[in-house]
Every structure is written in C-alpha cells, then in structure tokens.
Amino acid sequence: MSMKFTLKAALACTFLAVTATAGGHTAVEQRITAMKAVGGQMRTLGGMAQGQVAYDATAAIAALQIMRNSAAAALPLFADPTAAGAETRARAEIWADGSDFNDRLSAMIADMDVAIAAAPADAAAFGPLFGAVAGNCRSCHEKYRAPEN
Ligand code: HEC
C-alpha cells in the first residue's frame, strides 16, 4: 500500500469520525465541538513537540488529520453572526472584520495540510511544522475569542 493511499484512507476515516462526533444542534454548538476536537489533538502533538512523549509519526499524522478535519468542519459554522442569547465566546468582530477571520482559519488549515503532506518522520522534522500550526491559535483567540466567564 502506498503512503499516498494510506493517507487518503486515513483522511476518509477521520472525516467520518469528525462528522459522527460533531454533536450539538446549532451551528454554534457544532463549531465549539469542532474547536474542542482541534484542542484535544494539541495535547498529543504538544507533548511530542516538547519531548514529553516520544515522537510517533503515525500518531502525529493521525492527530494532525483529526485537527485539520475538525478545523475545516468549524470553518463554515462561523459563516453567520451568532444569534443573540447563544452561549458562545465568538466575538462580534469576526463578522465585522470582513474576511480576516476566515483567512486566518484557512491559513491554519493550510499549515496543517503542509504538515500532513510532509509526513514528518522524526521529531526534528515535526517541530517546525507543528510550530507553524500552533502559531495560529493564540493570535486568533486574542482577537476573536472572548475570555471565559
Ligand atoms: C481563525 C481563528 C481561530 C484559530 C486560528 C483558532 N481558533 Fe480556537 N476558537 C476560535 C473562536 C472564535 C472560538 C470560540 C467559538 C465559540 O465559542 O463559538 C474558538 C474556540 C476554541 C476552543 C473551544 C473551547 C473554548 O475554550 O472556547 C478550543 C479548545 C480552541 N478554540 C482551540 C484552538 C486551538 C488549539 C487552535 C490552534 C491549533 C485554535 N483554536 C485556532 C478561533 C480560532
């Protein structure tokens, strides 16, 4: 089985998994679930990046694929301004700032695609690719996610 085929099959599987677990009824609930799935993989990947957990290429690429598919699932769920009264940390600036939010989320997905395509074989190759992905989180949250109440 070629690497390409394996990656494609894995992508198809994780896409199904994300679709099946994207719980909640409203777009807001679904995007929070999707973003939590992004955050969940950070623990696996961050541990490997910091050397707390031994680097495992198969596990890292699988985690990146779940992250990527979860972020892609969240993207369209930010299309409409949040209805009044919904429990959300999304700031109104998301919809006031034109395409900036979409561009940032798309840029993160692109960084994830780069990391997946590179299929890093060891921690040295993984580090900078993961750094590029993780570099997207904080700046967007600072601008577009309200603090926890
Ligand atoms: C383009 C902007 C953007 C990027 C990039 C982004 N996030 Fe978020 N994230 C948000 C917004 C906005 C919310 C709040 C959604 C809501 O409450 O409706 C959110 C919510 C979350 C949540 C849900 C729980 C909570 O505390 O609100 C987690 C977990 C999370 N993000 C993790 C991450 C991680 C990890 C990354 C980077 C790998 C990341 N996010 C990248 C904008 C972003």
Side-chain angles (χ1 to χ4, degrees):
M1 202 156 55
S2 76
M3 188 63 171
K4 216 170 187 180
F5 178 81
T6 316
L7 284 180
K8 265 197 188 143
L11 268 175
C13 292
T14 49
F15 180 73
L16 286 175
V18 168
T19 317
T21 54
H25 304 288
T26 67
V28 173
E29 287 163 342
Q30 286 177 20
R31 80 186 176 218
I32 292 171
T33 301
M35 290 305 298
K36 280 185 178 160
V38 171
Q41 301 311 311
M42 262 329 248
R43 251 162 277 149
T44 309
L45 295 169
M48 288 189 211
Q50 284 158 25
Q52 292 157 347
V53 181
Y55 181 72
D56 175 335
T58 308
I61 293 162
L64 283 166
Q65 280 166 340
I66 294 171
M67 263 190 145
R68 190 254 176 242
N69 291 336
S70 302
L75 183 60
L77 297 167
F78 280 105
D80 300 316
T82 306
E87 279 211 29
T88 179
R89 290 170 69 188
R91 287 200 152 122
E93 283 80 358
I94 291 173
W95 299 280
D97 287 359
S99 66
D100 184 57
F101 181 85
N102 258 38
D103 294 347
R104 283 168 183 253
L105 201 47
S106 301
M108 178 172 78
I109 293 167
D111 286 340
M112 291 170 175
D113 282 334
V114 168
I116 292 165
D122 54 28
F126 171 71
L129 292 162
F130 175 73
V133 168
N136 293 283
C137 314
R138 195 167 161 203
S139 60
C140 185
H141 287 165
E142 277 172 2
K143 193 163 180 202
Y144 292 116
R145 187 174 73 164
E148 242 167 325
N149 13 318

